[in-house]
Amino acid sequence: MRPNSDTQQQHSHCDISSALLLYRSRNPNLSASTMAAVGYDYEDGLPSSVDGGLSYDPSFVPDPVKSFVVHLYRHIREKNVYEIHQMYETSFHTLSDRMFKDTPWPSVEAVAQYVDNDHVFCLLYREMWYRHLYARLSPTLKQRIDSWDNYCSLFQVVLHGVVNMQLPNQWLWDMVDEFVYQFQSFCQYRAKMKNKTEQEIALLRQHDQAWNVYGVLNFLQALMEKSSIIQILEQEKEGLEQFTATDGYDYNGGSNVLKVLGYFSMVGLLRVHCLLGDYQTGLKCLLPIDISQQGVYTSVIGSHITTIYHYGFANLMLRRYVEAIREFNKILLYIYKTKQYHQKSPQYEQILKKNEQMYALLTISLSLCPQVKLVDETVNSQLREKYGEKMLRMQRYDDESFALYDELFSYACPKFITPSAPTYEEPLVNYNQDAYRLQLKLFLYEVKQQQQLSVVRTFLKVYSTISLEKLASYMEVDESTLRTILMTYKHKTHSVGADGKTISNADIDFYIDDDLIHVVESKTPKRYGDYFLRQIVKLEAVIGDMDRVKLE
């Protein structure tokens, strides 16, 4: 079922979650099944550590949970996407907050009897169960391994079975997102070997295939290939498919699960390759999605932010600064305009965190490639407020500036992983920071290489032509060294794009003819439309204020 068209049109730039939450606030009389599943009035005494201090009993299923699973199961069988989304996004989190703040949900074995022991539903319930466990508690090694087994079973059913259901995009995105997160979390956990017990080491040896990097990549790749999503997106460009227009849903009674999981798996592959430090491969995996256009990835705010965050970071590490700046600018402006719609969303804190991280990455990008003209006035204002002083200090390329690059990179970068298993025979040491230190070292080495480029750029901005001899004397180097510096400038301000063509990141370029440097300053076209739109909005606000004034 589709949300009503008026709500959808009003919030076309917000994800479906926000639109539905807003719809609910305007329509308090939602279906009785959804309201019953939330179970606001807990008249039954609950044997949980939250309401009464008793120990957690995995086999006890409170009435609100019974109602929740029964109604969710029924809506999934009826392919009622709207009600599924309501229960998944609202009811599940409400019950979690009120009944399971510091305990897991009832076990799948306990609730199976209320859903006809349906195998696929039990896999979906267990997926939510582990996600809640990771979010609220600290999973044991056994639970991490069991969660991997559950994902294997769930994805095998999707890949090899006939899945006759429709699930909300939010849930399907969360599956891929959590799958990659738990892989990352397992690699970090396994790398902290120093305090591992003999039992944990024995369990790691026994389950050496759990969260194996090849297994994770193979599942994401298999979902992408089996769904034929690349072919679907290509056919859509020719007008033969309606995948994006319908947000991936099938209104002819089919299933959207495999197609949308395959679609989000491309984002998952980008993220995994970024965690491994393979940025080129990560960006190749995302090529079928045109991120310059609205797509299914923008229908879920978490997917939208994750995609652009990793896309921008990968471009930053590949020295494609202009592309990184453009995309960070667009997503930060989007968050600024729409974040009020997400305040009640479970993802709100994560949205704010990623927002701050992307401002830090934008600061780095602009410090290495001063293309402020590419940044919207609103974003630039926020940027100056957050990092204006630091950006000035980062231009100096002294020890303090390197410390700032170190600080911002460490704060904003992904949690890099070492995917290989430890050698258990050697003295047990923690190596969970090794991948991060390597990426930080490579990044700071890149910054160090560009140390004198800022000085060159300062002089080039002043002159339209200048002789090599004169510039060398200004920079206090000989002509041979200056030529090397100028070649470095050329190299560092150009990079290879996704299509294999060389692209320029420089706002100042030059060429040398007979020992004379000719400077070419690239000018971005002025966007008069943006200016007039801002003035129109201001004028409308003034007129609105005047209309409210009561004349005596």
Side-chain angles (χ1 to χ4, degrees), residues 41-179:
D41 301 316
Y42 299 112
E43 295 173 357
D44 341 283
L46 300 176
S48 75
S49 59
V50 181
D51 297 337
L54 300 178
S55 60
Y56 167 68
D57 179 3
S59 62
F60 175 75
V61 183
D63 285 344
V65 176
K66 289 179 192 174
S67 179
F68 174 81
V69 295
V70 166
H71 287 105
L72 182 60
Y73 175 55
R74 193 185 82 202
H75 291 317
I76 287 175
R77 292 191 64 176
E78 294 172 352
K79 296 184 180 178
N80 191 335
V81 177
Y82 178 70
E83 291 291 352
I84 297 168
H85 189 282
Q86 280 293 106
M87 298 194 69
Y88 171 79
E89 187 72 353
T90 306
S91 308
F92 181 74
H93 291 289
T94 302
L95 287 171
S96 296
D97 286 339
R98 297 195 178 182
M99 300 173 67
F100 306 107
K101 269 192 173 178
D102 53 6
T103 61
W105 273 60
S107 67
V108 68
E109 292 77 17
V111 303
Q113 59 181 309
Y114 304 111
V115 294
D116 303 329
N117 291 296
D118 186 276
H119 177 59
V120 176
F121 182 87
C122 287
L123 291 173
L124 291 171
Y125 176 84
R126 199 181 274 118
E127 192 269 336
M128 290 196 297
W129 190 95
Y130 282 115
R131 182 137 37 88
H132 171 265
L133 181 78
Y134 269 81
R136 303 292 179 112
L137 305 162
S138 182
T140 64
L141 175 56
K142 181 69 169 63
Q143 287 168 333
R144 291 173 188 271
I145 293 167
D146 289 345
S147 182
W148 161 255
D149 290 339
N150 186 68
Y151 273 117
C152 290
S153 301
L154 179 58
F155 290 155
Q156 290 285 3
V157 167
V158 173
L159 287 166
H160 302 295
V162 180
V163 181
N164 187 27
M165 60 183 176
Q166 292 225 56
L167 294 179
N169 286 345
Q170 179 70 58
W171 194 347
L172 295 170
W173 161 251
D174 286 345
M175 277 186 206
V176 174
D177 185 51
E178 186 72 11
F179 180 63

Side-chain angles (χ1 to χ4, degrees), residues 228-245:
S228 301
I229 188 62
I230 295 176
Q231 292 85 341
I232 290 171
L233 292 175
E234 286 175 354
Q235 288 176 344
E236 186 173 48
K237 291 176 184 175
E238 299 170 8
L240 303 174
E241 282 282 351
Q242 291 289 310
F243 181 76
T244 303

Side-chain angles (χ1 to χ4, degrees), residues 36 41 85 117 174 197 220 266 350 386-387 398 429 432 491 535:
D41 301 316
H85 189 282
N117 291 296
D174 286 345
T197 63
L220 294 172
M266 291 188 282
Q350 190 65 19
K386 295 173 188 290
Y387 294 110
D398 53 16
V429 294
N432 56 303
H491 171 62
Q535 300 309 313

